[in-house]
Amino acid sequence: MESLGVLLPVPMNAYLESELARRYKVFRLWESPPERRQDFIRANAAAIRAVVGNSKAGADADTIDALPRLEIVACFSVGLDKVDLAKCRERGIRVTNTPDVLTDDVADLAIGLAIAVLRRLCQADRYVRSGAWLSKGDYKLTTRFSGKTIGIIGLGRIGLAIAKRAEAFGCPISYYSRSEKPNTNYKYYSNLVDLAANCHVLVVACSLTEETYHIVNREVLDALGPKGVLVNIGRGPHVDEPELVAALREGRLGGAGLDVFEQEPYVPEELFGMENVVLVPHVGSGTNETRNAMADLVIGNLEAHVMNKPLLTPVV
Ligand code: NAP
């Protein structure tokens, strides 16, 4: 049987890449210089029947158009914002992602960021390392996390897992999404500005779509206010970043814990000097356990596709 040709647009998790290479013919796009990549795709289009993408790159309209034999896009991520889903539907191309296996890690990080911002954990760590504890004495007092009202944008798998964790800290939970969820006691807001005005920590946990691009804008940040903290473990473009930086600079927002940024890996330098901000480099699902489980899911989906069996986690 013809081996499945798999295009990788960017370097992948090492375990995933080696498992793919063991089974299939792998085409590594980044190994071609940027100006030669279209030629590379054209030259190998007859063999490429699958794309494996991640949160950095997937399959946009141009890539899909350049691959007439494309059958499946298997994402090494739960977010599908780097895949042109409408085009895949139109062409009958299957799409899979990696839901559930990463939920706990991302939710853990959201809580970790909220606590790190309020208790100034990173700043306090730097205080000890710099010798300031010896020279200047005790560290200043910070703000409690337990009991604070948590507002969640998007009560999906990750949003719910964050809510469950925050409940254990005695935090009242409210949320905003397109529709009220039937099986929770959490307070629903149909208006995001109202949610922001009524919570202390606002966590972004929705999917990135045209509708949710810059969903956290100046009005939302101002509603969250000088005592409020924004945590973003969704995607960078959910937040209007220049507005976020301005709100922090001007003291209109109390703090931010950010895993994702608008132009990764670039982060606004102005944030580097702010002690009420904790910055981590898109590591929400970045544990060995979770990345291996995500890789196994990508392989499982491709294997199911090749064997004409039901896909494990189909989206399209
Ligand atoms: P999910 O179960 O599909 O949840 C997505 C949520 O987004 C749903 O609750 C949905 O609620 C909400 N949503 C969609 N459109 C919306 C809109 N226009 N307004 C308000 N809410 C909207 O997905 P998940 O597994 O929880 O993952 C959520 C996102 O987290 C992913 O899409 C990804 O971008 C991000 N993520 C980040 C990392 C990281 O490393 N930082 C890792 C994994 C995932 P309604 O349908 O009720 O509106």
Side-chain angles (χ1 to χ4, degrees):
M1 196 173 58
E2 182 195 348
S3 160
L4 189 76
V6 181
L7 177 71
L8 305 183
V10 287
M12 289 282 153
N13 166 273
Y15 165 66
L16 174 60
E17 235 183 276
S18 74
E19 288 300 307
L20 288 170
R22 239 163 37 86
R23 291 170 172 80
Y24 310 119
K25 171 121 185 66
V26 170
F27 297 90
R28 296 175 170 86
L29 185 60
W30 70 92
E31 288 180 351
S32 292
E35 68 282 4
R36 302 270 305 277
R37 289 189 185 158
Q38 278 184 342
D39 293 342
F40 177 87
I41 291 182
R42 217 171 294 126
N44 296 296
I48 296 171
R49 290 159 51 208
V51 171
V52 171
N54 61 15
S55 62
K56 296 189 182 86
D60 58 14
D62 289 346
T63 308
I64 295 170
D65 282 342
L67 295 171
R69 296 193 68 208
L70 185 61
E71 297 164 13
I72 183 166
V73 178
C75 296
F76 182 69
S77 66
V78 70
L80 293 158
D81 43 288
K82 292 287 196 274
V83 180
D84 191 324
L85 293 175
K87 204 160 202 52
C88 288
R89 278 192 197 99
E90 208 179 282
R91 282 259 316 264
I93 295 164
R94 306 300 309 273
V95 179
T96 64
N97 64 348
T98 57
D100 300 317
V101 292
L102 45 64
T103 297
D104 284 341
D105 279 354
V106 184
D108 290 354
L109 184 71
I111 299 294
L113 283 171
I115 295 176
V117 172
L118 288 167
R119 300 297 302 269
R120 300 287 192 261
L121 290 186
C122 300
Q123 178 77 9
D125 173 272
R126 289 192 287 269
Y127 195 78
V128 174
R129 288 170 197 249
S130 69
W133 194 12
L134 276 175
S135 59
K136 294 185 184 163
D138 287 347
Y139 192 65
K140 65 182 182 190
L141 301 183
T142 59
T143 305
R144 170 186 295 180
F145 171 71
S146 286
K148 292 289 184 295
T149 301
I150 310 298
I152 299 173
I153 309 178
L155 200 68
R157 288 170 290 244
I158 294 172
L160 266 174
I162 294 167
K164 196 169 125 193
R165 282 157 176 71
E167 273 189 296
F169 287 88
C171 299
I173 312 293
S174 351
Y175 69 100
Y176 164 78
S177 63
R178 288 167 298 185
S179 59
E180 187 166 2
K181 306 293 162 219
N183 301 318
T184 74
N185 296 322
Y186 307 140
K187 186 169 167 51
Y188 174 66
Y189 285 87
S190 59
N191 180 301
L192 178 52
V193 175
D194 290 344
L195 173 69
N198 287 287
C199 70
H200 194 117
V201 178
L202 181 66
V203 186
V204 186
C206 58
S207 32
L208 177 63
T209 63
E210 276 176 21
E211 275 176 33
T212 62
Y213 174 80
H214 281 191
I215 193 168
V216 178
N217 55 20
R218 187 183 178 104
E219 198 185 356
V220 171
L221 293 167
D222 282 344
L224 190 54
K227 293 199 162 161
V229 170
L230 178 75
V231 170
N232 189 4
I233 49 76
R235 288 283 185 260
H238 280 131
V239 178
D240 185 330
E241 211 164 66
E243 285 293 351
L244 172 65
V245 174
L248 287 163
R249 185 200 313 124
E250 293 159 19
R252 287 183 283 114
L253 181 68
L258 307 170
D259 182 40
V260 287
F261 303 87
E262 279 211 81
Q263 307 287 340
E264 295 172 6
Y266 300 100
V267 175
E269 277 189 34
E270 214 180 327
L271 295 177
F272 296 174
M274 296 180 181
E275 68 168 61
N276 52 346
V277 170
V278 174
L279 308 167
V280 292
H282 200 151
V283 293
S285 66
T287 65
N288 288 311
E289 295 90 333
T290 287
R291 291 285 166 86
N292 285 352
M294 290 165 66
D296 287 338
L297 209 39
V298 171
I299 299 284
N301 275 307
L302 290 176
E303 284 188 338
H305 176 73
V306 168
M307 295 169 77
N308 218 6
K309 288 188 174 163
L311 300 177
L312 306 182
T313 49
V315 180
V316 174

